[in-house]
Amino acid sequence: MQKELNWIWTELKTVEKQKLWIYTLLYLVWGWGMNLFGEYMEIARFTHWWQIITVYLLYMVPISVVLRNQSFHRQYAYGLIFMGLLEFGGYTFQTSYAYPNNLLDQFFSERNFSLAMALFFAFYFPLGNAAVNWIYQKLKED
C-alpha cells in the first residue's frame, strides 16, 4: 500500500504547473458544459452549482494527473472504478438528479442509468489527458 501511495504522491508532485492550469481550465469548462447539457437535455444534473468544482476540479483533475502516464485502456479501467463510485454516491446521497424517463432511461432502461453514466464518464480520464497534452504541446510551439 505504501508503494501505491508513494506513486500517487510522486505523480501529483511532478505535474508541470502549466499542465495543471490547463487541467483546471479544461475540466472546469467541461464540467460546466456537461452539467448545462444534462439539464438542457433533461438527462441529469448536479443538485448544487458548486459540485462542478468539487467533482471536476477536486476529484477528477487529481485522478487524471495520477493516471496521465498510463495507457488508454488502463486510464479507462481506473476511471471506470472512480466514476462508478462517484455515480453511486451522487445518486445515493441525492447530490445528483436524474430526470425521470430521460433519454438514457429510454435507451438503456432505468436500472442501467448509473452504469451507462459511469461507462461514459470513465472516458473523461484518457480523453482529458489527451486533450491536456495536445493543448500543452500547442502552447509550447508558440
Side-chain angles (χ1 to χ4, degrees):
M1 179 69 161
Q2 188 63 39
K3 182 180 173 184
E4 287 81 12
L5 292 174
N6 286 339
W7 169 69
I8 290 168
W9 183 243
T10 300
E11 290 297 322
L12 290 172
K13 286 191 323 187
T14 59
V15 64
E16 298 92 336
K17 298 289 185 243
Q18 190 176 18
K19 272 192 177 182
L20 197 54
W21 278 109
I22 296 168
Y23 275 108
T24 301
L25 292 173
L26 177 67
Y27 278 59
L28 185 62
V29 170
W30 206 354
W32 179 72
M34 288 304 290
N35 195 55
L36 283 176
F37 178 78
E39 280 185 73
Y40 177 76
M41 296 299 295
E42 294 187 350
I43 298 170
R45 63 173 168 76
F46 289 125
T47 305
H48 307 285
W49 69 267
W50 48 263
Q51 288 175 265
I52 295 167
I53 295 168
T54 57
V55 169
Y56 282 82
L57 298 185
L58 300 178
Y59 185 76
M60 292 175 67
V61 166
I63 294 168
S64 288
V65 167
V66 169
L67 297 177
R68 74 187 187 278
N69 294 318
Q70 301 297 312
S71 65
F72 185 94
H73 72 276
R74 189 170 284 202
Q75 289 181 55
Y76 181 79
Y78 280 116
L80 192 52
I81 294 167
F82 288 113
M83 295 315 286
L85 293 171
L86 185 69
E87 292 294 323
F88 182 74
Y91 295 110
T92 298
F93 298 115
Q94 298 178 353
T95 56
S96 293
Y97 174 77
Y99 290 90
N101 200 32
N102 64 60
L103 290 172
L104 294 179
D105 285 350
Q106 292 172 30
F107 194 72
F108 297 113
S109 87
E110 186 177 329
R111 292 181 189 262
N112 290 323
F113 175 81
S114 292
L115 176 58
M117 293 288 278
L119 288 167
F120 172 78
F121 284 112
F123 279 111
Y124 267 44
F125 299 105
L127 296 178
N129 283 324
V132 166
N133 286 331
W134 183 80
I135 294 167
Y136 182 73
Q137 291 304 318
K138 291 295 180 189
L139 290 174
K140 281 179 63 174
E141 290 174 7
D142 291 340

